[in-house]
Amino acid sequence: MGYDIKMVSANARRAGVDVPRLNWADTMVLAERFVEARNYRLQTLAEELGLHVERAHRAGSDVETTVELLRALIPKVEARTMERRALAAAHVKGFAALARQVEGWKGAMGSLRPAELLEKVLEESGLAKYYADEPRRLGHLERLVRIFRERDESGVHPETALRGLIEFTSLARNVDYLSSNDNLVMVITVHQAKGLEFDTVFIAGAVEDEMPHFYNKSGERLEEERRLFYVAVTRARERLFISGHAQNRRGYRRELSQFISAIDRRHLRFE
């Protein structure tokens, strides 16, 4: 929901249309608070709540399902309204200053360039001062400001540019910031490794219920897990090490991933 509103607002600004700040709620966040489910995908929530909506992989169907989901969630939200208001009233004094500060930063999103806004947040929040005696951490923050400044699209609205930078930094891989001279071990997810290659690759945790994950062991989900395993395997140019564990942290026994059996045994050496 928030992403959609930002997209609409950004496009409206490009067209010269002023959009008021809208209040919105994320259906997934609401569902996480009031519904116990195996995951919080729209289809899963529809099944858990018994929503009678036909889905045909069309945007219109998703909208109808979301409307039905809100109809199911709103009574749950309203049922605890008084409890939340009482809790807020009891603690409002302790958070009032922070709330005003955050609102000030939100208001500045439309006028300050991203790097300037980040510097403002670091200064006013006290983070810069807090890490003043920790050069390494402070260096990370300064590097983030530098990235914001270097990658800022100066020709677009500040808030639009900020959104793009946040998306970049949240999706950026460790490899985007490391050079071959850093002499550091790269630890990244399979998703982050897409499109990359390395001389040596270590795949950790290749056991049942983790790769594939317990919730994804059938149908299309299993095939997607298989594709991810293939991506991980094919990142290696020369050497590939696949590791697992006999039991997890709770003491439950774990077998090697079923995906390993798909590899020609001539290319495997077990140790």
Side-chain angles (χ1 to χ4, degrees), residues 70-93:
L70 285 172
R71 285 177 179 161
L73 290 175
I74 287 173
K76 298 178 183 294
V77 174
E78 292 176 337
R80 299 182 62 180
T81 297
M82 297 306 296
E83 179 183 344
R84 291 195 304 277
R85 287 178 177 173
L87 186 64
H91 299 281
V92 65
K93 291 184 179 179

Side-chain angles (χ1 to χ4, degrees), residues 47-160:
E47 294 170 358
E48 293 284 342
L49 296 172
L51 306 182
H52 302 291
V53 178
E54 294 292 333
R55 294 201 71 215
H57 302 289
R58 294 183 297 107
S61 297
D62 285 345
V63 171
E64 292 172 6
T65 306
T66 301
V67 170
E68 290 300 314
L69 175 60
L70 285 172
R71 285 177 179 161
L73 290 175
I74 287 173
K76 298 178 183 294
V77 174
E78 292 176 337
R80 299 182 62 180
T81 297
M82 297 306 296
E83 179 183 344
R84 291 195 304 277
R85 287 178 177 173
L87 186 64
H91 299 281
V92 65
K93 291 184 179 179
F95 293 93
L98 175 61
R100 286 193 296 270
Q101 195 174 51
V102 171
E103 282 301 307
W105 296 336
K106 286 183 178 179
M109 289 168 57
S111 57
L112 294 180
R113 301 309 304 178
E116 295 172 344
L117 178 62
L118 180 55
E119 288 177 324
K120 177 181 177 69
V121 171
L122 293 176
E123 183 64 30
E124 295 181 358
S125 67
L127 273 175
K129 182 178 180 180
Y130 184 81
Y131 290 121
D133 296 329
E134 298 185 45
R136 180 172 172 273
R137 293 182 181 272
L138 188 60
H140 289 328
L141 295 175
E142 291 172 345
R143 183 174 65 177
L144 186 59
V145 172
R146 188 166 61 252
I147 291 170
F148 271 37
R149 183 169 289 111
E150 292 172 351
R151 291 182 172 269
D152 182 11
E153 297 182 60
S154 57
V156 302
H157 189 277
E159 190 171 345
T160 302

Side-chain angles (χ1 to χ4, degrees), residues 9 26 29 36 61 100 107 129 162 184 191 203 258:
S9 300
D26 192 309
V29 174
E36 290 188 11
S61 297
R100 286 193 296 270
K129 182 178 180 180
L162 176 63
L184 299 175
H191 286 286
I203 300 177
Q258 59 184 279

Side-chain angles (χ1 to χ4, degrees), residues 172-175 178 184-190 192-193 198 202 204:
R173 301 167 291 217
N174 294 343
V175 71
L178 297 179
L184 299 175
V185 174
M186 186 85 62
V187 180
I188 56 179
T189 67
V190 178
Q192 290 175 321
F198 305 92
F202 293 83

